[in-house]
mmCIF file with all atom_site columns, all heavy atoms in Angstrom:
data_model
loop_
_atom_site.group_PDB
_atom_site.id
_atom_site.type_symbol
_atom_site.label_atom_id
_atom_site.label_alt_id
_atom_site.label_comp_id
_atom_site.label_asym_id
_atom_site.label_entity_id
_atom_site.label_seq_id
_atom_site.pdbx_PDB_ins_code
_atom_site.Cartn_x
_atom_site.Cartn_y
_atom_site.Cartn_z
_atom_site.occupancy
_atom_site.B_iso_or_equiv
_atom_site.pdbx_formal_charge
_atom_site.auth_seq_id
_atom_site.auth_comp_id
_atom_site.auth_asym_id
_atom_site.auth_atom_id
_atom_site.pdbx_PDB_model_num
ATOM 1  N N   . TYR A 1 36  ? -30.654 59.684 -73.671 1.00 0.00 ? 36  TYR A N   1
ATOM 2  C CA  . TYR A 1 36  ? -31.173 59.825 -74.980 1.00 0.00 ? 36  TYR A CA  1
ATOM 3  C C   . TYR A 1 36  ? -32.713 59.822 -74.977 1.00 0.00 ? 36  TYR A C   1
ATOM 4  O O   . TYR A 1 36  ? -33.298 59.101 -74.121 1.00 0.00 ? 36  TYR A O   1
ATOM 5  C CB  . TYR A 1 36  ? -30.734 58.758 -75.947 1.00 0.00 ? 36  TYR A CB  1
ATOM 6  C CG  . TYR A 1 36  ? -29.334 59.020 -76.559 1.00 0.00 ? 36  TYR A CG  1
ATOM 7  C CD1 . TYR A 1 36  ? -28.209 58.831 -75.760 1.00 0.00 ? 36  TYR A CD1 1
ATOM 8  C CD2 . TYR A 1 36  ? -29.160 59.217 -77.907 1.00 0.00 ? 36  TYR A CD2 1
ATOM 9  C CE1 . TYR A 1 36  ? -26.931 59.003 -76.308 1.00 0.00 ? 36  TYR A CE1 1
ATOM 10 C CE2 . TYR A 1 36  ? -27.865 59.531 -78.428 1.00 0.00 ? 36  TYR A CE2 1
ATOM 11 C CZ  . TYR A 1 36  ? -26.749 59.319 -77.628 1.00 0.00 ? 36  TYR A CZ  1
ATOM 12 O OH  . TYR A 1 36  ? -25.587 59.452 -78.159 1.00 0.00 ? 36  TYR A OH  1
ATOM 13 N N   . ARG A 1 41  ? -40.939 54.999 -83.207 1.00 0.00 ? 41  ARG A N   1
ATOM 14 C CA  . ARG A 1 41  ? -40.557 54.769 -84.570 1.00 0.00 ? 41  ARG A CA  1
ATOM 15 C C   . ARG A 1 41  ? -39.560 55.773 -85.129 1.00 0.00 ? 41  ARG A C   1
ATOM 16 O O   . ARG A 1 41  ? -39.468 55.946 -86.358 1.00 0.00 ? 41  ARG A O   1
ATOM 17 C CB  . ARG A 1 41  ? -41.750 54.612 -85.456 1.00 0.00 ? 41  ARG A CB  1
ATOM 18 C CG  . ARG A 1 41  ? -42.827 53.558 -84.998 1.00 0.00 ? 41  ARG A CG  1
ATOM 19 C CD  . ARG A 1 41  ? -43.995 53.568 -85.958 1.00 0.00 ? 41  ARG A CD  1
ATOM 20 N NE  . ARG A 1 41  ? -43.610 52.975 -87.243 1.00 0.00 ? 41  ARG A NE  1
ATOM 21 C CZ  . ARG A 1 41  ? -43.518 51.650 -87.550 1.00 0.00 ? 41  ARG A CZ  1
ATOM 22 N NH1 . ARG A 1 41  ? -43.722 50.779 -86.540 1.00 0.00 ? 41  ARG A NH1 1
ATOM 23 N NH2 . ARG A 1 41  ? -43.184 51.221 -88.718 1.00 0.00 ? 41  ARG A NH2 1
ATOM 24 N N   . LYS A 1 99  ? -17.188 50.948 -75.617 1.00 0.00 ? 99  LYS A N   1
ATOM 25 C CA  . LYS A 1 99  ? -18.343 51.185 -76.485 1.00 0.00 ? 99  LYS A CA  1
ATOM 26 C C   . LYS A 1 99  ? -19.465 51.608 -75.594 1.00 0.00 ? 99  LYS A C   1
ATOM 27 O O   . LYS A 1 99  ? -19.449 51.433 -74.381 1.00 0.00 ? 99  LYS A O   1
ATOM 28 C CB  . LYS A 1 99  ? -18.664 49.931 -77.182 1.00 0.00 ? 99  LYS A CB  1
ATOM 29 C CG  . LYS A 1 99  ? -17.644 49.252 -77.981 1.00 0.00 ? 99  LYS A CG  1
ATOM 30 C CD  . LYS A 1 99  ? -18.016 47.975 -78.593 1.00 0.00 ? 99  LYS A CD  1
ATOM 31 C CE  . LYS A 1 99  ? -16.847 47.267 -79.210 1.00 0.00 ? 99  LYS A CE  1
ATOM 32 N NZ  . LYS A 1 99  ? -15.898 46.790 -78.248 1.00 0.00 ? 99  LYS A NZ  1
ATOM 33 N N   . GLN B 2 38  ? -32.617 47.411 -83.481 1.00 0.00 ? 38  GLN B N   1
ATOM 34 C CA  . GLN B 2 38  ? -33.531 47.495 -82.352 1.00 0.00 ? 38  GLN B CA  1
ATOM 35 C C   . GLN B 2 38  ? -34.743 46.684 -82.712 1.00 0.00 ? 38  GLN B C   1
ATOM 36 O O   . GLN B 2 38  ? -35.505 46.984 -83.633 1.00 0.00 ? 38  GLN B O   1
ATOM 37 C CB  . GLN B 2 38  ? -33.959 48.869 -82.123 1.00 0.00 ? 38  GLN B CB  1
ATOM 38 C CG  . GLN B 2 38  ? -34.804 49.220 -80.873 1.00 0.00 ? 38  GLN B CG  1
ATOM 39 C CD  . GLN B 2 38  ? -35.089 50.642 -80.658 1.00 0.00 ? 38  GLN B CD  1
ATOM 40 O OE1 . GLN B 2 38  ? -35.279 51.406 -81.552 1.00 0.00 ? 38  GLN B OE1 1
ATOM 41 N NE2 . GLN B 2 38  ? -35.055 50.999 -79.409 1.00 0.00 ? 38  GLN B NE2 1
ATOM 42 N N   . TYR B 2 49  ? -19.057 47.973 -85.551 1.00 0.00 ? 49  TYR B N   1
ATOM 43 C CA  . TYR B 2 49  ? -18.473 49.296 -85.558 1.00 0.00 ? 49  TYR B CA  1
ATOM 44 C C   . TYR B 2 49  ? -17.202 49.372 -86.369 1.00 0.00 ? 49  TYR B C   1
ATOM 45 O O   . TYR B 2 49  ? -16.575 48.442 -86.573 1.00 0.00 ? 49  TYR B O   1
ATOM 46 C CB  . TYR B 2 49  ? -18.359 49.841 -84.129 1.00 0.00 ? 49  TYR B CB  1
ATOM 47 C CG  . TYR B 2 49  ? -17.130 49.291 -83.294 1.00 0.00 ? 49  TYR B CG  1
ATOM 48 C CD1 . TYR B 2 49  ? -15.989 49.901 -83.251 1.00 0.00 ? 49  TYR B CD1 1
ATOM 49 C CD2 . TYR B 2 49  ? -17.419 48.012 -82.657 1.00 0.00 ? 49  TYR B CD2 1
ATOM 50 C CE1 . TYR B 2 49  ? -14.941 49.254 -82.510 1.00 0.00 ? 49  TYR B CE1 1
ATOM 51 C CE2 . TYR B 2 49  ? -16.274 47.472 -81.962 1.00 0.00 ? 49  TYR B CE2 1
ATOM 52 C CZ  . TYR B 2 49  ? -15.136 48.153 -81.844 1.00 0.00 ? 49  TYR B CZ  1
ATOM 53 O OH  . TYR B 2 49  ? -14.118 47.555 -81.169 1.00 0.00 ? 49  TYR B OH  1
ATOM 54 N N   . GLN B 2 102 ? -22.832 59.603 -79.429 1.00 0.00 ? 102 GLN B N   1
ATOM 55 C CA  . GLN B 2 102 ? -23.203 59.131 -80.759 1.00 0.00 ? 102 GLN B CA  1
ATOM 56 C C   . GLN B 2 102 ? -24.352 59.750 -81.284 1.00 0.00 ? 102 GLN B C   1
ATOM 57 O O   . GLN B 2 102 ? -25.375 60.065 -80.628 1.00 0.00 ? 102 GLN B O   1
ATOM 58 C CB  . GLN B 2 102 ? -23.430 57.583 -80.716 1.00 0.00 ? 102 GLN B CB  1
ATOM 59 C CG  . GLN B 2 102 ? -22.161 56.900 -80.381 1.00 0.00 ? 102 GLN B CG  1
ATOM 60 C CD  . GLN B 2 102 ? -22.309 55.381 -80.402 1.00 0.00 ? 102 GLN B CD  1
ATOM 61 O OE1 . GLN B 2 102 ? -23.386 54.836 -80.827 1.00 0.00 ? 102 GLN B OE1 1
ATOM 62 N NE2 . GLN B 2 102 ? -21.360 54.723 -79.869 1.00 0.00 ? 102 GLN B NE2 1
ATOM 63 N N   . ARG B 2 109 ? -36.412 50.566 -91.384 1.00 0.00 ? 109 ARG B N   1
ATOM 64 C CA  . ARG B 2 109 ? -37.314 49.610 -90.728 1.00 0.00 ? 109 ARG B CA  1
ATOM 65 C C   . ARG B 2 109 ? -37.409 48.426 -91.805 1.00 0.00 ? 109 ARG B C   1
ATOM 66 O O   . ARG B 2 109 ? -38.040 48.588 -92.838 1.00 0.00 ? 109 ARG B O   1
ATOM 67 C CB  . ARG B 2 109 ? -38.714 50.215 -90.474 1.00 0.00 ? 109 ARG B CB  1
ATOM 68 C CG  . ARG B 2 109 ? -39.539 49.416 -89.506 1.00 0.00 ? 109 ARG B CG  1
ATOM 69 C CD  . ARG B 2 109 ? -40.583 50.279 -88.931 1.00 0.00 ? 109 ARG B CD  1
ATOM 70 N NE  . ARG B 2 109 ? -40.137 51.379 -88.079 1.00 0.00 ? 109 ARG B NE  1
ATOM 71 C CZ  . ARG B 2 109 ? -39.728 51.350 -86.801 1.00 0.00 ? 109 ARG B CZ  1
ATOM 72 N NH1 . ARG B 2 109 ? -39.742 50.178 -86.250 1.00 0.00 ? 109 ARG B NH1 1
ATOM 73 N NH2 . ARG B 2 109 ? -39.268 52.429 -86.173 1.00 0.00 ? 109 ARG B NH2 1
#
Side-chain angles (χ1 to χ4, degrees):
Chain A
Y36 278 70
R41 302 180 71 81
K99 304 176 191 67
Chain B
Q38 188 174 39
Y49 72 97
Q102 292 182 14
R109 197 162 297 278

